[in-house]
Amino acid sequence: MSTVKEVCKLAGVSTATVSRTLKNPERVSEKTRERVFKAMQESGYRPNMLASSVKTGKSNALVVLVPNLTNPFFLKIIQGIEQAAQEKGYSVLLGDTQGEPERENEIASMVLSNRADGLIHLDHSFPFSKSDAHLADRVPVVSVCERIKGDKEFPVIELDNYAATRSLAKHLVNYGHRKFGIIAGQEESRIHHDRLAGIKGVFADEEIPFDDNMIVGGAYSIEVGQEGARELMAKPERPTAIFCFNDDIAIGAIFELKKLGLRVPEDVSVVGFDNIKVTAFMDPPLTTIDQPAHEMGRKAVEVVLQIINNVPLRRNREIFPFNILERESSGPVNPNF
Amino acid sequence: MSTVKEVCKLAGVSTATVSRTLKNPERVSEKTRERVFKAMQESGYRPNMLASSVKTGKSNALVVLVPNLTNPFFLKIIQGIEQAAQEKGYSVLLGDTQGEPERENEIASMVLSNRADGLIHLDHSFPFSKSDAHLADRVPVVSVCERIKGDKEFPVIELDNYAATRSLAKHLVNYGHRKFGIIAGQEESRIHHDRLAGIKGVFADEEIPFDDNMIVGGAYSIEVGQEGARELMAKPERPTAIFCFNDDIAIGAIFELKKLGLRVPEDVSVVGFDNIKVTAFMDPPLTTIDQPAHEMGRKAVEVVLQIINNVPLRRNREIFPFNILERESSGPVNPNF
DNA sequence: AAAAAAACTGCAATCGATTACATTTCAGCA
DNA sequence: TGCTGAAATGTAATCGATTGCAGTTTTTTT
């Protein structure tokens, strides 16, 4: 690869002029500008971004921390992030944490070693190691969907999870359901808490008793959905409707219910959360909450860039609207069930 | 962020010693080493990777070019890439090209501007722009799944697509099928060619006529699957079995067949390709080809690192084994159909 | 105890850019 | 023509590391 110096020689100018031709073209006369461009062409010059980053202190990259890359929902977010980042001239460093804190720490530390200017976190864990924690306040961080736990309040892009599950609960209650099961994901997260609160709220309004025993699960996976459905159906009082806290869980649950010889929604209604693409093509298509994942990803980039550029944030929480998609996996309660 | 100099002051040593403490600890006495480490601790020192990259000429990053991030199959590959890269101390820059050549060029040029040391391409297009093409031969590139077109032969990690579709075709022929439809993806690619050849091979063996009119499609999406199924079922001679060139297409096809009142597999058998997770939980579970996507991703990293480190490659094509998963979406031909 | 070898450490150049400051060039005008 | 200020360009310091070479200290050898 050729460097500025070769271009200098070819064009007969100084390094300063070459650099300016790219960064401040208006400060270079048209004649020399052309000469420099031609020289760049001839030498196949590419500015070394790392070198320029060293000097400017900006790497023009963002790290994205994902707990699990194979969840299609995250992908929609990441796609949004990727697009917005590209538009702003930033590149995206991908970090799949596999839920392991050490990996998380390692990836997060890329921001500390100047490899990236900011961090977008798709999980609720505090991503820095204890030893790095005190360095973390200078680091631009935003979280999407989840709120990061810990002392510091990081900006967050999220959905109104409370209202979303409220609307799902109302939808099911209107269909006459009174006996419910819940298959949840990780229980320590804020999301979990909010979603549960939404359901409880509606139950309180409708004077439906809430039974903690009907909450099962523990992770956002198809397998957990299967197991959860089996577990719920083995309870003395079987639910007629199941809340699944994401679509993967719902996929597993429906699969398992069918295997048990139950019909969805004639015997049991199932609702999901996230609206990953495939849910519209399932049999039956899944009633779920559509999250504007793409937009949320874009917003995350916008916000983290604001922090990077010291633009004051208008608010610390960006709440996105959801949309309940009433499809065929939910229906009227079956009185004979 | 503190730099080497602060550490120097605190530890009372030179920059050289600080640098060596991290990169060549054995060349520093234990006493000073400890002193330096303590100083690093106190000052919260993080080496600036960019600076070190400028000097060493290695960015320790790889770019991955993906045509479409939302395809779960790519995700499995990317996950493999990510893991292997992390293990080797490399980070992964993600580039979603959306199939747009300009984006592709822009992302690929990150390797030229020293932002990354190598490129992993998940598509068949030549990723560099015409003006960069002559710079491209110095760049470490490997492709996964697809072969990159153009003069230069880049190393490739792939599946034996020919054999894979042969085995699918045999599977269906053994069930008595004689009338087939094909819903394909992009037709210019090598994959398409190989897969078609596999099917044709079996047809030739079995003396089944091959009808070009029964090939429909044009992209790897659910929607194309839907449309393709509709189209095939409107043909004068309806197929009793459909090859879908990936699982997304199969998902769309099955959905649409059901909508047309047809049963899978009783009326029409459907097979997919890739074995994305959800296919095992569909109704019916999809017969498909399992690709070791994760391993292929890992291999891609291994190969690209070999190129980067000037280790001669043992072969230019790494062919991975497939596995046919005979699930319930395929079955005996229905004589009354 | 002196000489030779080995182990440490430091000085200063270097990587490839950017940029403050200095210098040169030139157009505009009296 | 000569002067002034703006525009164009160059010089050299700088960003934060790495590293060849040289100098110093310690250890080993005889």
Side-chain angles (χ1 to χ4, degrees):
Chain A
M1 295 295 145
S2 61
T3 72
V4 238
K5 300 212 173 154
E6 272 125 278
V7 180
C8 288
K9 257 180 228 166
L10 269 168
V13 296
S14 72
T15 61
T17 303
V18 174
S19 178
R20 278 192 285 253
T21 317
L22 289 172
K23 307 276 156 156
N24 300 81
E26 74 282 359
R27 298 185 24 71
V28 175
S29 78
E30 199 175 320
K31 251 198 305 180
T32 40
R33 215 187 307 160
E34 277 175 13
R35 207 145 32 91
V36 174
F37 277 132
K38 187 169 294 174
M40 288 180 176
Q41 202 89 54
E42 280 175 30
S43 57
Y45 170 72
R46 293 284 135 166
N48 183 327
M49 283 215 85
L50 302 179
S52 98
S53 288
V54 171
K55 184 75 214 223
T56 60
K58 297 251 160 258
S59 61
N60 292 305
L62 303 173
V63 201
V64 180
L65 272 181
V66 209
N68 171 14
L69 254 183
T70 55
N71 183 337
F73 174 63
F74 289 132
L75 260 292
K76 286 209 293 190
I77 301 178
I78 294 179
Q79 203 176 37
I81 291 174
E82 230 283 322
Q83 277 182 22
Q86 270 186 42
E87 287 168 19
K88 301 287 185 183
Y90 276 74
S91 41
V92 173
L93 282 156
L94 190 64
D96 186 358
T97 66
Q98 315 273 337
E100 292 170 28
E102 302 132 45
R103 288 206 173 208
E104 213 166 87
N105 297 344
E106 205 172 322
I107 298 167
S109 78
M110 295 204 291
V111 203
L112 300 175
S113 57
N114 292 51
R115 222 182 163 83
D117 299 329
L119 176 71
I120 299 176
H121 196 18
L122 305 190
D123 207 347
H124 64 266
S125 52
F126 182 76
F128 297 97
S129 64
K130 275 139 284 160
S131 55
D132 291 347
H134 63 291
L135 300 171
D137 10 306
R138 307 177 166 194
V139 176
V141 176
V142 307
S143 64
V144 184
C145 296
E146 294 269 13
R147 266 181 257 174
I148 298 175
K149 59 189 176 197
D151 318 319
K152 196 181 173 198
E153 262 216 27
F154 296 101
V156 54
I157 317 295
E158 62 184 347
L159 200 78
D160 190 344
N161 282 289
Y162 175 82
T165 45
R166 268 195 80 92
S167 86
L168 282 174
K170 267 199 217 132
H171 166 73
L172 291 171
V173 167
N174 287 344
Y175 266 137
H177 293 277
R178 290 296 178 273
K179 293 181 290 181
F180 296 90
I182 296 174
I183 312 178
Q186 298 167 295
E187 314 220 337
E188 330 96 74
S189 87
R190 178 70 191 227
I191 282 192
H192 177 263
H193 180 264
D194 289 351
R195 292 188 185 170
L196 216 53
I199 296 171
K200 283 181 178 169
V202 171
F203 282 18
D205 296 351
E206 306 283 337
E207 296 183 351
I208 299 171
F210 186 91
D211 181 358
D212 275 331
N213 285 318
M214 298 306 274
I215 307 177
V216 300
Y220 292 107
S221 71
I222 295 182
E223 287 79 5
V224 165
Q226 289 185 272
E227 202 183 326
R230 246 180 288 126
E231 210 176 318
L232 287 174
M233 288 304 145
K235 301 267 182 192
E237 203 169 21
R238 301 192 298 181
T240 64
I242 301 179
F243 293 94
C244 299
F245 274 12
N246 88 346
D247 287 345
D248 269 354
I249 293 177
I251 290 170
I254 291 179
F255 183 80
E256 201 63 21
L257 289 170
K258 285 184 180 174
K259 225 160 93 181
L260 293 172
L262 299 170
R263 294 164 304 162
V264 178
E266 292 82 353
D267 296 327
V268 183
S269 286
V270 175
V271 299
F273 209 107
D274 288 351
N275 187 31
I276 62 176
K277 177 141 192 181
V278 79
T279 57
F281 301 93
M282 289 171 54
D283 184 5
L286 185 68
T287 293
T288 191
I289 294 288
D290 181 51
Q291 296 201 50
H294 201 269
E295 287 312 311
M296 291 166 84
R298 296 188 67 91
K299 189 69 178 184
V301 172
E302 192 187 305
V303 171
V304 80
L305 289 186
Q306 283 185 8
I307 306 178
I308 290 173
N309 299 318
N310 291 310
V311 180
L313 299 182
R314 306 183 57 183
R315 54 180 87 77
N316 219 34
R317 293 176 57 193
E318 295 280 352
I319 300 184
F320 273 71
F322 63 88
N323 193 8
I324 179 167
L325 300 175
E326 301 183 3
R327 295 199 283 230
E328 284 95 80
S329 69
S330 54
V333 67
N334 179 349
N336 312 318
F337 183 66
Chain B
M1 295 295 148
S2 61
T3 72
V4 239
K5 300 210 173 157
E6 273 126 277
V7 180
C8 289
K9 257 179 228 168
L10 269 169
V13 296
S14 72
T15 62
T17 303
V18 174
S19 178
R20 278 193 284 254
T21 314
L22 289 171
K23 308 275 157 156
N24 301 81
E26 75 281 0
R27 297 184 26 70
V28 175
S29 77
E30 200 177 319
K31 250 197 308 180
T32 39
R33 215 186 307 159
E34 277 174 13
R35 206 145 32 92
V36 174
F37 276 132
K38 188 169 293 173
M40 287 179 176
Q41 202 88 55
E42 282 175 29
S43 58
Y45 170 73
R46 293 284 134 166
N48 182 327
M49 285 215 84
L50 301 179
S52 97
S53 289
V54 171
K55 183 75 216 228
T56 61
K58 297 251 161 258
S59 62
N60 292 305
L62 303 173
V63 201
V64 179
L65 272 180
V66 209
N68 171 14
L69 255 183
T70 54
N71 183 336
F73 173 63
F74 289 131
L75 260 292
K76 286 209 292 190
I77 301 178
I78 294 178
Q79 203 177 38
I81 292 174
E82 230 281 321
Q83 277 182 22
Q86 269 184 43
E87 287 167 19
K88 301 288 184 182
Y90 276 74
S91 42
V92 173
L93 282 156
L94 190 64
D96 186 0
T97 66
Q98 315 273 337
E100 292 170 27
E102 302 132 45
R103 288 204 173 209
E104 212 166 88
N105 297 343
E106 204 171 322
I107 298 165
S109 77
M110 295 204 292
V111 203
L112 300 175
S113 57
N114 292 51
R115 221 183 165 83
D117 299 329
L119 176 72
I120 298 177
H121 195 18
L122 305 190
D123 206 346
H124 63 266
S125 52
F126 182 76
F128 297 96
S129 63
K130 274 138 284 158
S131 55
D132 292 348
H134 64 291
L135 300 171
D137 10 306
R138 309 177 164 194
V139 176
V141 177
V142 308
S143 64
V144 185
C145 295
E146 295 270 12
R147 268 183 257 176
I148 297 176
K149 58 190 177 195
D151 319 319
K152 196 182 174 199
E153 262 215 28
F154 295 101
V156 55
I157 316 296
E158 61 185 347
L159 200 78
D160 190 343
N161 283 290
Y162 176 82
T165 45
R166 267 196 81 91
S167 85
L168 282 174
K170 267 198 218 133
H171 166 74
L172 291 171
V173 166
N174 287 345
Y175 268 137
H177 294 277
R178 290 296 177 276
K179 292 181 292 182
F180 296 88
I182 295 174
I183 311 178
Q186 297 167 296
E187 314 221 336
E188 329 97 71
S189 88
R190 179 69 190 227
I191 281 192
H192 177 262
H193 181 263
D194 288 352
R195 292 188 184 170
L196 216 52
I199 296 171
K200 283 181 178 169
V202 172
F203 282 18
D205 296 350
E206 306 284 337
E207 296 182 351
I208 299 171
F210 186 92
D211 182 357
D212 275 332
N213 285 318
M214 297 306 275
I215 308 178
V216 300
Y220 293 107
S221 71
I222 295 182
E223 287 78 7
V224 165
Q226 289 184 272
E227 201 182 328
R230 245 181 287 128
E231 210 176 318
L232 286 174
M233 287 305 145
K235 301 267 183 192
E237 203 168 22
R238 301 192 297 181
T240 65
I242 301 179
F243 293 94
C244 299
F245 275 11
N246 87 346
D247 287 345
D248 269 353
I249 292 177
I251 289 170
I254 292 178
F255 183 81
E256 200 65 21
L257 290 170
K258 285 183 180 175
K259 224 160 93 180
L260 293 171
L262 300 169
R263 294 164 305 162
V264 179
E266 293 82 354
D267 297 327
V268 183
S269 285
V270 175
V271 300
F273 209 108
D274 289 351
N275 188 30
I276 61 177
K277 177 140 193 182
V278 78
T279 57
F281 301 92
M282 289 171 53
D283 183 5
L286 185 68
T287 293
T288 191
I289 295 288
D290 181 51
Q291 296 201 49
H294 201 270
E295 287 312 311
M296 291 166 83
R298 296 188 68 91
K299 190 68 179 184
V301 171
E302 192 186 303
V303 171
V304 81
L305 289 185
Q306 284 186 8
I307 307 178
I308 290 172
N309 299 318
N310 290 310
V311 179
L313 299 183
R314 307 183 57 184
R315 54 180 86 77
N316 220 34
R317 292 176 58 193
E318 295 280 352
I319 300 186
F320 273 71
F322 63 87
N323 192 8
I324 180 168
L325 300 175
E326 301 182 2
R327 294 199 282 230
E328 283 96 79
S329 69
S330 53
V333 68
N334 179 349
N336 311 317
F337 183 68

